[in-house]
Amino acid sequence: DEDIESLSALAVQAGVAIENARLHRVVERQAVTDALTGLANRRQFYEVLGREYERSQRFGTPLSLILLDIDDFKHINDTRGHLAGDAVLHGVATTLAELIREIDMAARYGGEEFAILLPMTTTSGAKEVAERCARRLGATPLEVDGVPPLKITASMGVAACTGGTCGDL
């Protein structure tokens, strides 16, 4: 009986420890993830950008960045409401996540702005990714609350470092 009681107490403590570890992982993930889009947040983006920049400089490999801004987003919020705006942000995030490689990182940079970090990618490769994103966004109208679908476009810019020629970021 004494052994069973001791083992039961130990099992309860183990269960609590496992739950604490799970909750710690959840909180860590929440600290670096944008809640609405599920993408990395700005803090995580800057942390990974710093590491990738250092790697690019050390090994002389290319590193590219795409900044994306959803066109007329304020108009969508003003005419369709913030829930529609949230649906657009989520839809754009989903599209970006589908179009990038596993080593790339898409992040919500701010309001309706996104950043895509492309390690080991030249300027021309980054332009191809940006064009693919633009085509996919334009070709996939977003359904929002059963009203006419929204056609989404975005403005994008590409920056790249090649072979250690980034300068100071």
Side-chain angles (χ1 to χ4, degrees), residues 61-152:
T61 57
L63 174 65
S64 294
L65 171 68
I66 300 170
L67 291 178
L68 177 151
D69 185 81
I70 300 171
D71 296 333
D72 302 315
F73 186 74
K74 182 179 179 339
H75 179 72
I76 293 168
N77 270 341
D78 290 347
T79 60
R80 303 286 284 271
H82 289 276
L83 289 177
D86 287 352
V88 168
L89 292 171
H90 188 267
V92 169
T94 299
T95 299
L96 298 180
E98 290 171 355
L99 292 174
I100 62 174
R101 305 168 300 181
E102 196 169 311
I103 66 167
D104 301 334
M105 171 191 256
R108 184 169 177 199
Y109 191 74
E112 74 275 11
E113 295 129 3
F114 294 85
I116 304 171
L117 188 59
L118 303 161
M120 306 294 293
T121 305
T122 62
T123 306
S124 62
K127 286 178 184 177
E128 287 178 28
V129 173
E131 289 167 0
R132 195 173 356 175
C133 290
R135 280 193 306 273
R136 173 79 69 86
L137 289 172
T140 313
L142 289 169
E143 299 287 334
V144 179
D145 297 332
V147 292
L150 291 167
K151 185 169 179 161
I152 304 302

